[in-house]
Amino acid sequence: MSNIFRTAVKNKEFLITAEVAPPKGGDPSHMIQIAKTLKGRVHAVNITDGSRAVLRMCPVIASVLLLQQGIEPICQVACRDRNRIGLQADLMGAHALGVTNILALTGDPVKAGDHVEAKSVFDLESVRLLQLVGKLNTGFDYNNIPLTDGATDLFVGAAVDPQLPSWSSLQRRFERKLEAGAQFFQSQLITDFERLEKFMSQIAVGSDKPILAGIFLLKSAKNAQFINRCVPGVNIPQATIDRLAKASDPLLEGIAIAAEQVKLAQQICHGIHMMAVKREDLIAQILDKAEIAPLSS
C-alpha cells in the first residue's frame, strides 16, 4: 500500500493520527475493529509499545495486522525492553513486513507498569535510537558494519513535550532529536496551548519538521483528576475539571473540549495526535465536531 502518512508530511498537509493499543492476549479482533473506525479519518494509526510499561502484544506484529486491513500504522519502538541487537532486529523485520513509519521512544519506566520486577534494558535512549535508524537507512548497523542484505527505508519520528518545565532542556532535547534524524514530532497530551504556541514560535520555528499536538479525550472530572495524579508532566486546568463536573453528560462535554482543542491546534501547529483511551470509537465524532473532513482518497 502507498505510504499515506509520509506523503502527507511531504505535501505539508494538516496531519491526523490516532493512538490504539495492541491487544493484551492473542486475539487482535478488538484492536482491528477499533482501527477500522479510524479508516479514512486519520493518516495513520499509532500502535503503542508497552505504554506505561503495561504488557501488550508486540507493536510490530500489531502493525502488520493493521496493514493487512489496509490501515497504515505508525509503530512505536521503545528502548526499555530491548538492547541494540533486539532493536535492530525488530526494525529490520518491520521494514521487511512493510511497517515503515516508526516513532522512536525511550519508554516508560518499568515501575509504572504491571511487571514491576522486570529488568529494564535502556541500552539506548530515543536520540540514539533515532541515530540507529539513520544508520540502518544508509545500509549500516549500529557498529557501522554494512547490511549485506540491503538498507531499510524507515520514516522515523520522535516525541516532544512542549509543557516541560525547563525551557532550555526542551530546546536542547528537541534540537538533538532533529539532528538525529527525526522527520516528525508527536507531542504529549497538551493542556496549555499558550505554551504550545510559544514552543512553536521560539523553538520549532526554524524546523521544517511537522509537530503534532496530543489531544486527549477526557471522559469525566474523575478521569481528568486521575490523569493529573498519574501522568507525569500533565496539568489539566481546574476550570476544565469543573466544566466536566458540572456537565449533565460529562462524556459529551469531553468530546466538545477535545474538538475545541483540535481547532486551537489547527491555528498553531501542523497536526494532531488523537488519544481516546478505550473510546477510540469517538475520535471520528470529535473530528466531525471540529469540522475536520474525512481524508480525500
Side-chain angles (χ1 to χ4, degrees):
M1 65 183 284
S2 61
N3 198 312
I4 298 167
F5 181 70
R6 195 186 305 206
T7 301
V9 171
K10 183 181 177 181
N11 294 341
K12 299 189 183 300
E13 296 177 34
F14 186 76
L15 303 166
I16 309 165
T17 63
E19 193 161 288
V20 171
K24 187 163 187 174
D27 182 0
S29 56
H30 180 64
M31 175 194 72
I32 291 169
Q33 179 186 356
I34 288 169
K36 282 182 175 178
T37 69
L38 300 167
K39 201 170 181 179
R41 300 310 306 264
V42 302
H43 293 99
V45 172
N46 197 303
I47 296 295
T48 57
D49 184 8
S51 179
R52 293 181 295 109
V54 172
L55 172 66
R56 294 276 181 171
M57 181 184 285
C58 166
V60 175
I61 300 301
S63 295
V64 171
L65 292 169
L66 292 195
L67 272 180
Q68 292 172 351
Q69 301 294 323
I71 299 165
E72 182 164 337
I74 297 173
C75 181
Q76 292 188 9
V77 176
C79 299
R80 177 191 57 243
D81 307 319
R82 310 166 185 83
N83 64 15
R84 65 194 68 186
I85 299 171
L87 288 166
Q88 290 175 99
D90 283 359
L91 288 164
M92 289 186 289
H95 164 87
L97 292 168
V99 178
T100 57
N101 300 317
I102 302 294
L103 187 72
L105 302 172
T106 298
D108 298 316
V110 163
K111 65 181 180 181
D114 58 357
H115 285 66
V116 295
E117 294 179 355
K119 289 184 179 180
S120 299
V121 180
F122 293 117
D123 184 24
L124 306 181
E125 44 67 56
S126 58
V127 172
R128 288 195 289 165
L129 178 55
L130 288 164
Q131 293 168 342
L132 182 154
V133 172
K135 289 187 176 188
L136 294 178
N137 281 348
T138 55
F140 294 89
D141 71 11
Y142 194 78
N143 291 330
N144 295 315
I145 298 169
L147 300 175
T148 55
D149 295 303
T152 60
D153 181 24
L154 302 171
F155 190 68
V156 65
V160 64
D161 185 3
Q163 295 163 153
L164 200 68
S166 171
W167 199 246
S168 59
S169 294
L170 172 60
Q171 181 164 5
R172 185 169 60 251
R173 193 83 177 148
F174 179 74
E175 289 174 352
R176 286 185 67 208
K177 289 180 178 182
L178 268 180
E179 290 167 8
Q183 299 299 309
F184 64 94
F185 288 86
Q186 176 185 303
S187 94
Q188 309 286 12
L189 186 167
I190 296 292
T191 56
D192 186 343
F193 284 83
E194 288 184 8
R195 179 82 169 181
L196 175 63
E197 193 165 16
K198 183 181 176 186
F199 168 77
M200 293 301 300
S201 63
Q202 295 188 19
I203 292 179
V205 65
S207 162
D208 63 347
K209 307 303 181 188
I211 312 292
L212 283 70
I215 308 293
F216 191 94
L217 172 62
L218 297 167
K219 297 182 277 291
S220 65
K222 185 178 179 182
N223 178 223
Q225 289 164 339
F226 172 82
I227 296 292
N228 270 352
R229 190 169 62 250
C230 298
V231 181
V234 173
N235 182 24
I236 296 163
Q238 188 61 43
T240 301
I241 296 172
D242 292 343
R243 181 175 164 184
L244 289 162
K246 292 173 185 175
S248 56
D249 188 331
L251 182 58
L252 279 180
E253 196 67 24
I255 290 170
I257 291 167
E260 290 164 14
Q261 292 179 336
V262 169
K263 287 186 172 182
L264 283 172
Q266 278 185 292
Q267 307 303 315
I268 298 171
C269 59
H270 313 102
I272 49 173
H273 174 63
M274 304 298 299
M275 295 171 277
V277 178
K278 296 183 179 178
R279 289 311 309 262
E280 293 89 350
D281 58 301
L282 295 175
I283 288 173
Q285 189 175 334
I286 295 168
L287 295 173
D288 286 341
K289 196 169 184 64
E291 300 176 343
I292 301 286
L295 302 180
S296 54
S297 54

